[in-house]
């Protein structure tokens, strides 16, 4: 009965590779988000989708591309991974733009 | 711009001690304010919130009051437990515009028995 789930939980990969992180929510929410948490625990929003439409796109390299196949899923694809991409990535969802956000458990990405 | 500043961590206390984690904000509009908690190995959970000046959010013994005059939203608890050990994030969300959450840098709290 997990509300917001992410896969994988850990991801270790080499520089230059392409990888994807998947997120699914079973809460019936319309809005989903991706956040990046760096090694100092600083948390910053990357993207937000509302009803499959991109509404927030922070200053994120073009190598990062979110994809929302339906309202319950928001996947994050990263091309040409760099060392600085190493972080914990959190997915979140909310009923609407102003409602409480529920976070997934996070995906720890390590780029070697 | 919009930003949130929290007291530097880590904070280490003994069980049953009084807790205060300071949070101040800068906002171009009228934000809602939040405290989120992140337990080890987990995602963030909403702890409490306040949507307008002088509102007090409370949950699990934690409290925070929205102080517009001092642009603050300090988190307090009268008697902490070992299970309160976690990272605490203060955040704001503007009512206008993109309505994204802006987080502080987080404060790691460790409670010793």
């Amino acid at each position: 009965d997990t509300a917001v789930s992410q896969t994988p939980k850990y991801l270790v990969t080499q520089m230059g590779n392409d990888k994807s992180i998947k997120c699914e929510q079973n809460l019936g929410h319309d809005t989903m988000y991706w956040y990046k948490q760096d090694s100092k625990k600083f948390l910053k929003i990357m993207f937000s989708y509302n009803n499959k439409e991109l509404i927030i796109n922070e200053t994120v390299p073009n190598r990062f591309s979110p994809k929302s196949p339906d309202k319950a899923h928001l996947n994050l694809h990263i091309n040409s991974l760099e060392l600085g991409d190493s972080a914990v990535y959190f997915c979140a969802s909310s009923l609407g733009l102003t409602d409480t956000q529920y976070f997934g458990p996070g995906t720890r990405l390590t780029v070697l | 711009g919009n930003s949130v500043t929290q007291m530097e961590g880590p904070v280490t206390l003994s069980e049953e001690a009084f807790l205060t984690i300071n949070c101040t904000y800068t906002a171009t509009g009228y934000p809602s304010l939040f405290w989120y908690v992140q337990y080890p190995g987990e995602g963030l959970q909403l702890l409490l919130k306040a949507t307008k000046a002088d509102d007090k959010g409370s949950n699990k013994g934690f409290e925070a009051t929205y102080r517009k005059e001092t642009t603050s939203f300090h988190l307090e608890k009268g008697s902490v437990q070992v299970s309160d050990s976690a990272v605490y994030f203060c955040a704001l969300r503007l009512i206008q515009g993109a309505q994204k959450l802006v987080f502080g840098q987080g404060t790691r709290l460790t409670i010793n028995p």
Side-chain angles (χ1 to χ4, degrees):
Chain A
D1 60 344
T2 303
V4 182
S5 60
Q6 297 178 226
T7 53
K9 189 168 184 178
Y10 300 97
L11 183 55
V12 181
T13 188
Q14 301 287 332
M15 267 197 312
N17 284 350
D18 304 338
K19 291 294 180 185
S20 292
I21 306 172
K22 296 185 177 181
C23 177
E24 177 180 2
Q25 54 94 1
N26 62 4
L27 299 169
H29 288 169
D30 288 339
T31 309
M32 296 185 72
Y33 312 81
W34 277 109
Y35 289 86
K36 180 180 180 181
Q37 186 178 46
D38 63 23
S39 59
K40 296 182 179 179
K41 294 289 188 182
F42 188 68
L43 191 68
K44 189 171 182 182
I45 191 167
M46 301 173 69
F47 302 103
S48 172
Y49 270 73
N50 186 52
N51 282 318
K52 295 174 56 180
E53 180 182 349
L54 181 66
I55 55 170
I56 294 176
N57 185 353
E58 292 294 287
T59 308
V60 175
N62 291 338
R63 300 181 294 103
F64 289 80
S65 53
K67 288 184 172 53
S68 183
D70 55 58
K71 285 200 312 183
H73 296 84
L74 182 62
N75 303 324
L76 183 65
H77 188 75
I78 315 171
N79 289 327
S80 303
L81 279 156
E82 301 177 357
L83 293 177
D85 298 332
S86 295
V88 180
Y89 292 84
F90 286 100
C91 177
S93 73
S94 61
L95 186 61
L97 291 171
T98 60
D99 296 299
T100 298
Q101 294 183 25
Y102 294 82
F103 283 75
T107 296
R108 182 175 294 278
L109 171 65
T110 303
V111 182
L112 303 175
Chain B
N2 304 304
S3 65
V4 176
T5 302
Q6 295 179 227
M7 66 186 289
E8 288 282 337
V11 174
T12 303
L13 296 172
S14 297
E15 209 165 18
E16 299 184 3
F18 184 87
L19 168 72
T20 300
I21 300 179
N22 290 338
C23 171
T24 57
Y25 67 90
T26 303
T28 53
Y30 299 99
S32 295
L33 300 174
F34 305 82
W35 276 100
Y36 278 81
V37 58
Q38 183 180 23
Y39 297 105
E42 299 183 12
L44 279 73
Q45 303 173 27
L46 179 65
L47 181 59
L48 52 85
K49 66 179 181 181
T51 57
K52 61 182 187 298
D54 300 325
D55 268 3
K56 177 186 283 188
S58 61
N59 185 25
K60 299 181 181 179
F62 290 90
E63 292 184 341
T65 301
Y66 190 142
R67 301 284 188 203
K68 188 178 176 183
E69 63 276 11
T70 54
T71 62
S72 64
F73 193 54
H74 304 322
L75 182 68
E76 296 181 338
K77 186 174 184 181
S79 177
V80 292
Q81 306 300 313
V82 172
S83 58
D84 293 327
S85 298
V87 181
Y88 291 81
F89 292 89
C90 186
L92 68 81
R93 186 182 64 214
L94 291 177
I95 300 172
Q96 304 86 9
Q99 301 178 9
K100 63 183 181 182
L101 277 173
V102 177
F103 286 91
Q105 71 270 37
T107 302
R108 182 179 296 278
L109 173 67
T110 301
I111 308 299
N112 294 320

